[in-house]
Amino acid sequence: MTEDEISRIVIGCAIEVHKNLGPGLLESAYQECLCYELKNKGLEIQKEKALPVIYKDIKLDQGYRIDILIENKVVIELKTVEYFTDVHSAQILTYLKLGEYKLGLLINFHVSLLKNGIKRFIM
């Protein structure tokens, strides 16, 4: 399955979760529900995937955690914020770079219409 195919499934599942729950919950609630939907679509997911930072000869295991990694290809970073900031974009771009992934989705569930809370990042 390509990154684009995975992306379409993720967005559909995220819309389903948002349609049922609406805005206003904690990020962890959306994460659990989205993982449930993704698993039901038959996708392999890793929740809170550790992403170490490697610098020269040292490996920092306490680096970062990807909210959801799908099929070891697509990074999903979830938010429940008023609006995205440059820090949110930098965060997902860092995950893509460190993990050598090609596609990432930044999804903000704290919006009235979910399509307005999705940003796609390509490396």
Side-chain angles (χ1 to χ4, degrees):
M1 188 176 297
T2 68
E3 286 89 348
D4 284 337
E5 291 169 329
I6 294 168
S7 172
R8 282 191 286 278
I9 294 169
V10 171
I11 291 170
C13 289
I15 289 170
E16 179 68 18
V17 169
H18 190 264
K19 185 170 58 173
N20 281 282
L21 297 179
L25 302 178
L26 295 175
E27 181 182 309
S28 58
Y30 296 110
Q31 183 181 34
E32 288 300 319
C33 294
L34 183 56
C35 286
Y36 171 85
E37 291 292 338
L38 295 168
K39 285 179 189 175
N40 280 344
K41 295 288 184 185
L43 294 175
E44 176 193 326
I45 66 161
Q46 296 175 63
K47 187 170 56 169
E48 298 295 327
K49 165 90 167 116
L51 185 64
V53 174
I54 299 173
Y55 177 76
K56 295 186 179 182
D57 295 331
I58 60 173
K59 181 180 177 184
L60 306 170
D61 287 323
Q62 70 277 13
Y64 297 96
R65 293 202 177 277
I66 296 171
D67 285 341
I68 305 170
L69 180 63
I70 304 171
E71 299 284 327
N72 207 36
K73 292 182 179 182
V74 178
V75 173
I76 307 299
E77 183 62 25
L78 304 177
K79 299 294 178 199
T80 54
V81 294
E82 289 293 322
Y83 52 87
F84 290 135
T85 66
D86 291 342
V87 172
H88 300 130
S89 296
Q91 181 183 18
I92 195 162
L93 288 170
T94 297
Y95 293 168
L96 292 173
K97 180 181 175 185
L98 290 175
E100 298 180 356
Y101 303 112
K102 294 179 185 175
L103 179 66
L105 294 172
L106 182 57
I107 303 174
N108 182 15
F109 281 94
H110 192 70
V111 292
S112 57
L113 187 59
L114 191 64
K115 75 174 188 171
N116 297 329
I118 299 173
K119 285 184 79 171
R120 182 179 166 105
F121 294 82
I122 300 171
M123 289 293 279

